[in-house]
Amino acid sequence: MDSNTNLQKILADSPVGVVLRAISLVNLPNWWLAGGAVRNTVWRTIFNPQCELIINDFDIAFFDEQGNRSQELAAKTILTQKFPGYEFDVKNQASFARWRPGRRTYTSTEDGICEWLHTATAVGVRLDPQGQWQFFTPYGLDDLFNGIILPTPVHTHNPKAQEKATSFLQKCPCLKIGVREKSFDP
């Protein structure tokens, strides 16, 4: 079974699979569900019962250059009404830099997700209009399936990435800290 099929199998029978259908009906442009909901569901499935990571919220990233914060709030409201027991974090990657100091302007949803803290967190899933699963995995799925916590290249020296890694290890001690190999220009 390939990695995408394995990921779909794990997520389809979880809260992610249920919520994914509802997100697709909100019709956000170029959206992906990524982050902790995907990562924690996979790690809990693979490493249970040693893993106590749970879904804290559903991180939904989308891209609309004409959009504004009210669009995020409207999507969050719709999803919260449908799933009152869940938290939703809906962010337009086109406007992220305007209200998040220190961030560069993203050119797409995928551009934003590539800069999430860890490779295992920068994994996006969505349903296309026909209900078929799609995947965005800029760093592949090996780190996710092997329980490796590795900062994305832009966060290699970010203390926040290390803080998050420490919190993951406290709740799921079977995870491993990854090390980015140095590359040398000839």
Side-chain angles (χ1 to χ4, degrees), residues 24-182:
S24 70
L25 297 175
V26 176
N27 290 319
L28 292 168
N30 194 33
W31 68 274
W32 292 99
L33 172 66
V38 173
R39 180 199 61 229
N40 292 355
T41 298
V42 171
W43 284 350
R44 192 163 174 113
T45 299
I46 293 172
F47 301 111
N48 200 28
Q50 301 165 10
C51 189
E52 297 175 4
L53 290 167
I54 60 169
I55 297 174
N56 294 314
D57 63 4
F58 291 87
D59 295 304
I60 303 159
F62 69 99
F63 193 84
D64 185 354
E65 289 186 271
Q66 305 308 313
N68 57 43
R69 300 298 302 270
S70 64
Q71 190 178 18
E72 297 169 351
L73 182 59
K76 181 177 179 171
T77 300
I78 290 167
L79 293 167
T80 301
Q81 287 174 346
K82 185 158 181 71
F83 302 101
Y86 294 141
E87 294 290 324
F88 295 91
D89 189 9
V90 184
K91 296 291 185 271
N92 183 357
Q93 302 302 289
S95 62
F96 204 66
R98 283 183 273 194
W99 57 267
R100 190 85 179 250
R103 297 293 178 131
R104 68 177 179 82
T105 301
Y106 297 130
T107 59
S108 67
T109 310
E110 294 81 4
D111 187 28
I113 291 172
C114 283
E115 289 199 0
W116 289 20
L117 278 181
H118 300 100
T119 57
T121 304
V123 172
V125 297
R126 68 181 175 195
L127 300 178
D128 70 13
Q130 292 73 39
Q132 300 299 307
W133 286 68
Q134 295 182 326
F135 306 91
F136 177 64
T137 59
Y139 305 103
L141 292 171
D142 289 347
D143 290 350
L144 179 63
F145 286 123
N146 293 316
I148 296 172
I149 309 166
L150 180 67
T152 58
V154 73
H155 292 290
T156 299
H157 301 291
N158 183 341
K160 189 168 191 126
Q162 183 57 46
E163 285 174 30
K164 282 283 213 182
T166 300
S167 73
F168 296 156
L169 286 168
Q170 289 171 346
K171 294 178 181 176
C172 194
C174 47
L175 299 174
K176 301 176 249 20
I177 300 290
V179 177
R180 186 165 309 287
E181 293 184 25
K182 293 181 181 180

